[in-house]
Amino acid sequence: MANRGGFSSKLGFIMAAAGSAVGLGNLWGFPFEVGAGGGAAFVVVYLIFCFILCLPVMITEIAIGRKTQLNPVGAFKALGHKNWSIVGYMGLFCGVIILSFYNVVAGWAFGYFIEMLLGNFEIGQNFSSFTSNVIKVGGYATIFMFSTAFIVSKGISGGIEKAAKILMPTLILIILSLTAYAFTLDHAFEGVKFYLVPDFSKITFPVIYNALGQAFFSLSLGMGALITYGSYVGKNDNIVTSAALITLTDVGIAFIAGLMMFPFVAYLTNGTMEGAGQGAGLIFTVLPGVFQSLGSTLGVIIGSLFFLLLSFAALTSTVSLLEVPVAYVVDEHKVRRSKAVWMVAILIFIIGVPSLLSNGASDFWSSFITYFGAESATDFMSFAQHVANDSLLPLGGFLISIFAAYAWKKHNLIEEITQGNDSFKGSVIAKFIDIAISFICPAILGTLFVLTVLSRFFGITLIG
Ligand code: PFF
C-alpha cells in the first residue's frame, strides 16, 4: 500500500479529532439549543446521548479506520461484503454536503472577523444584507476553502496535525479569556441563569431529536470522519481513552461557549435576555451590538477575538470534512494527494453555491422547499442541514453500529480496540461497548431516525 502518512503521536490525533469535533456546532449551535430547549434539562439529555450513544459509535469508527487504514468506502468494503460500501458512500455524500454549507457559514465568521477589526459593529443590524451579498460572502468563503485545502494538501502530520496543534490551544486560550471577561460584565449571572436553570416542560420530541442531531454533528460522527482520522492512528494508541478525551473536550468547549455567550447577551439586554432564544442569528446579529457597547477599542479587541475564535474552530472542522473525500480519492482512485485536494475543494465549493445564495440572494434558493404540514418555506441551507445533520448522521450511526456488530462481528471490534489497550478485553467497558453497539445504538438511533424524518419532513408526529 502507498504510504498514506499518519499522526505522529496519540496527542496529535486527539488534537486533530477534537479540532474536528469542536467547531461552529459548539459555538454557534449548542448554546442556543440549550437556551431554547430547557437549559440544564437539555444539557442532561445531551450528555446522555454523548456518552451512551455517541461514545461507542466514536470508538467503533476509530477502530474501523485503524483496522483497515482506509477511507470509509474502502473500509466498509474491506471488512464486510462489498454492498456495505454504500454506507461509506453515504458518509462521503454527507461530508460533501456538510462542507458545502459549513464553508459558507465559516465565510461569515471570517468576514465578521475582518469587519470587527475595521470597527464595523453595525454589521449586526445588517446581517441579512451581508449574507445576501454574494460577492463579499463568496470572497470570504473562497479564502476559507483555500486555507482548508492548503492545510489538507500538506498531509496528515505536516498539515492537519500541525494546524490542530497551533489552532486548538489558541482557541482554548481565547474562549477562556472571553468567558472570564464576560463574567465581569453587569448582569452576567442573569445570563448564566437563563442558560442553565432547568425547565423540563421544554423537553419535547423536537428538542430530543435536535439534541441527537446536535450530538452527532458536534462529535463529527456518523459519516466516517473518524473512520478517516482513525485510519491514520498508530496501533499502540489507546482508542478508548482517546475517544473519551475527544468527547470530553467537545462537550466541555460547547458548555463553556454558553457560559461565554449568555452573559454577553444579558449585558446587552440589561438582564432581560430579550432575543436570546432567537437561534442561529444570535451570534451574528446580537453579539456585534454587545461589542459595540464595550467602546471602540475594547469592542474591536473583544469582537475580533470572538470571530477569530469562531474561524479557528471552523477551520479545524472544515479540514476534517475535506479529508474524508480526499482520502477516498487518494485511496480508491490512486490520485496524488495535492491534486485530489484541489479537485475536491473546487467541486465542493461549487456544490456550496446554492447555500451561498439561500440566505437572501436568490428567492428560489431562499425559499427552496415547503415540508408537508409546514406553514412556511425552508431555505436550501437549512434543508441541507436537516437532511445531513439531523437525518443522515444518526442513520449513519445506526448503520455503523449494525455493521460492526453483525457484519464485521463484535469479537473483531473488541480485538481491534484491545490493541494498545491490553486490559480492555473482558473489562466492564468492553461489555458496555458490546451491548451499546449491538442493541442500544441500533434500537435508539433507528427509532429516532424514523421519528425525525416523519416529523421534520412530513409533519407526522408520533411522539411528543
Ligand atoms: N463537529 C463540527 C462542529 O461541531 O462544528 C462539524 C463537523 C465536522 C461535522 C466534521 C462532521 C464532520 F465530519
Side-chain angles (χ1 to χ4, degrees):
M1 190 191 301
N3 182 10
R4 305 167 73 245
F7 292 110
S8 70
S9 64
K10 181 178 166 188
L11 182 69
F13 163 62
I14 292 174
M15 287 245 198
S20 167
V22 173
L24 297 171
N26 303 59
L27 303 170
W28 183 52
F30 184 79
F32 51 75
E33 295 244 7
V34 177
F42 179 94
V43 178
V44 173
V45 176
Y46 185 76
L47 288 178
I48 293 174
F49 282 159
C50 284
F51 287 93
I52 308 280
L53 296 177
C54 294
L55 188 58
V57 174
M58 183 184 285
I59 290 170
T60 304
E61 280 204 28
I62 299 172
I64 292 174
R66 188 175 70 173
K67 173 74 190 171
T68 56
Q69 302 190 12
L70 285 170
N71 66 92
V73 173
F76 283 105
K77 221 185 298 179
L79 296 181
H81 187 270
K82 71 173 186 320
N83 287 346
W84 277 101
S85 61
I86 291 173
V87 183
Y89 281 113
M90 197 181 89
L92 217 59
F93 171 76
C94 212
V96 167
I97 296 297
I98 293 178
L99 181 53
S100 76
F101 68 73
Y102 199 93
N103 186 59
V104 174
V105 182
W108 297 349
F110 181 64
Y112 264 58
F113 165 64
I114 306 283
E115 302 289 338
M116 289 295 119
L117 278 181
L118 299 173
N120 177 14
F121 299 111
E122 283 72 38
I123 190 147
Q125 291 128 41
N126 303 324
F127 178 59
S128 46
S129 52
F130 174 77
T131 58
S132 55
N133 186 336
V134 177
I135 304 287
K136 221 174 184 175
V137 176
Y140 289 131
T142 305
I143 297 175
F144 213 89
M145 185 62 96
F146 185 87
S147 317
T148 305
F150 178 76
I151 294 172
V152 177
S153 73
K154 297 284 169 207
I156 305 307
S157 62
I160 296 178
E161 178 176 342
K162 203 164 159 192
K165 278 184 167 163
I166 299 168
L167 295 175
M168 286 307 281
T170 315
L171 179 152
I172 291 174
L173 200 71
I174 300 180
I175 196 171
L176 289 179
S177 319
L178 287 177
T179 309
Y181 177 72
F183 268 73
T184 65
L185 296 172
D186 289 346
H187 305 291
F189 183 69
E190 276 123 296
V192 174
K193 215 165 92 186
F194 175 85
Y195 178 40
L196 289 177
V197 168
D199 176 357
F200 286 94
S201 70
K202 287 202 182 140
I203 301 289
T204 55
F205 184 67
V207 169
I208 291 183
Y209 71 63
N210 278 343
L212 182 74
Q214 173 67 23
F216 264 78
F217 182 76
S218 185
L219 291 166
S220 307
L221 289 179
M223 48 155 277
L226 287 165
I227 295 182
T228 309
Y229 272 16
S231 74
Y232 305 114
V233 167
K235 287 286 181 198
N236 296 327
D237 287 358
N238 184 329
I239 297 181
V240 176
T241 54
S242 302
L245 281 169
I246 295 161
T247 306
L248 283 172
T249 309
D250 187 62
V251 171
I253 302 248
F255 186 73
I256 294 173
L259 289 180
M260 164 184 68
M261 208 81 80
F262 288 104
F264 274 144
V265 180
Y267 173 71
L268 184 74
T269 59
N270 287 322
T272 65
M273 300 309 285
E274 218 171 297
Q278 72 164 256
L282 181 69
I283 276 188
F284 294 105
T285 53
V286 179
L287 287 185
V290 178
F291 302 137
Q292 181 167 29
S293 65
L294 301 176
S296 54
T297 315
L298 199 57
V300 166
I301 296 174
I302 302 285
S304 48
L305 267 183
F306 177 83
F307 287 103
L308 187 66
L309 166 73
L310 210 57
S311 306
F312 280 0
L315 187 56
T316 46
S317 300
T318 50
V319 158
S320 72
L321 285 160
L322 183 59
E323 178 57 28
V324 176
V326 164
Y328 163 74
V329 174
V330 170
D331 291 344
E332 306 296 310
H333 298 285
K334 311 282 174 252
V335 175
R336 218 168 7 96
R337 168 172 281 272
S338 54
K339 188 169 161 201
V341 167
W342 294 106
M343 262 169 39
V344 174
I346 291 170
L347 184 70
I348 296 180
F349 186 86
I350 296 169
I351 296 175
V353 170
S355 293
L356 183 62
L357 297 176
S358 74
N359 290 279
S362 130
D363 286 343
F364 175 75
W365 296 108
S366 303
S367 2
F368 180 64
I369 187 171
T370 306
Y371 303 144
F372 290 104
E375 274 154 24
S376 52
T378 301
D379 64 276
F380 181 80
M381 191 196 264
S382 306
F383 171 64
Q385 290 179 18
H386 297 157
V387 171
N389 307 5
D390 301 344
S391 314
L392 292 183
L393 294 183
L395 176 65
F398 166 79
L399 292 169
I400 288 167
S401 316
I402 303 260
F403 170 81
Y406 304 107
W408 182 28
K409 302 272 190 287
K410 279 180 295 193
H411 64 93
N412 289 318
L413 171 67
I414 301 287
E415 206 62 57
E416 182 58 34
I417 303 173
T418 305
Q419 290 230 19
N421 183 0
D422 296 337
S423 57
F424 179 71
K425 213 187 238 169
S427 67
V428 182
I429 303 179
K431 197 81 222 142
F432 164 65
I433 291 176
D434 181 334
I435 296 172
I437 288 300
S438 1
F439 304 110
I440 307 177
C441 293
I444 298 184
L445 293 175
T447 310
L448 283 178
F449 166 72
V450 173
L451 293 176
T452 302
V453 170
L454 286 177
S455 138
R456 170 77 83 187
F457 301 108
F458 298 96
I460 303 171
T461 318
L462 300 180
I463 305 175

